Amino acid sequence: MLPEPDDRGAQLLATLKTGEWLDAQVFPPISWAVPGLIPEGFGLFTGPPKAGKSWCSLAIGLAVAAGGKALGSIDVGDPRPVLLLALEDGDRRLQGRCRHLLDDGALPSMLTYQTSTPSGDVIPLIRAWLAKNGHLDPLIILDTLGRVMPPALPGEGAYARDYRIGAALKNLTDAHPGSCLLVVHHVRKATGDDWMDSTSGTNGLNGAADWTVNLSRQRNEDVGILRVTGRDVPEGEYAMRCSDGRWELDGEDLDHASQKASEVRTTAGIGDKSTEVLEYVVRSATPVTPKQVADALQLPDARRYMARLAESGRLRKVGYGTYTGVPPVPVSQLPTEVGQRDTWDTGTQTTNEPIASLVDWQANRNKDH
């Protein structure tokens, strides 16, 4: 006969929930600071120094505090409270940047900021601010984490330290569903094949975060790529452009910016003629032949270009003498099912669509057209 659980065991068993209970729950829809990109919860905004993270995060904060559009074209809804911890700025610089981004318009009254906070005060400050504003789906921007990163505890490894800090930050938003904490953080110089591996420090921060956004661009270039992955946001890459400090989507919405990012990645390393052929085929609603391409682009040797693009995986031969492109799945057609959302105390799932599924999507789109 099995022994009865002791008092502590009985208490723990009483905390368990059933599938029936979970099935009966009705959870509110997820809240977004920037719809389709930045959901509620704790997330990292990474990128190399001087890439424009501070400008971009500041513009997002101003858009949320004022209401209207973020990144040029994404409607963020009505004004909401924003706490900006601009720890690499002073009052004068922050005022100048805000006025520049707002075209000398008035700064939004829903914006609250601080430019200097001791490491030990960050968590208490954010917690106190959320106690007053957490019910309004607010946004907190911490720029940057490196300014207030506490040291490891005695005997604590780097991963454990990073995860402890990430968990402490996540606990803040978990206590106030609908709130969003965007933490600006640098990346390492040495990177691997996965851009997530570039986050400065260990993967402890990525592991604790609900989502990660990354902004990358070549030095002195005015275009870049914004990447996002997380538990409550569709994974994607979006083309961005910057003009005088103002970061905007390169496209009228996320779908178009995603298509643009795919084109930039797909055409990297090929010549102008090949790029022209590739763009023509990808944008066609139905598979095309070399003769169609030759006639449209005045390119007699179109067949040779298309064969080479197919060999490199940029085009796919779908029948005798017909080719089609393999565009990305639009953001609007990605899965949208999502989960729910005191001091420095004690895996992001990603998806990579296989080529076959993208081809199936292209075939279905051609049928629809």
Side-chain angles (χ1 to χ4, degrees), residues 1 55 67 121 137 154 194 221 237 257 266 287 326 347:
M1 187 173 179
W55 279 98
D121 289 348
D137 293 351
D194 187 347
E221 292 289 334
E237 294 187 357
T266 303
V326 187

Side-chain angles (χ1 to χ4, degrees), residues 68-84:
K69 296 186 183 299
L71 303 179
S73 57
I74 304 178
D75 191 355
V76 297
D78 296 332
R80 283 173 286 162
V82 173
L83 172 62
L84 171 64

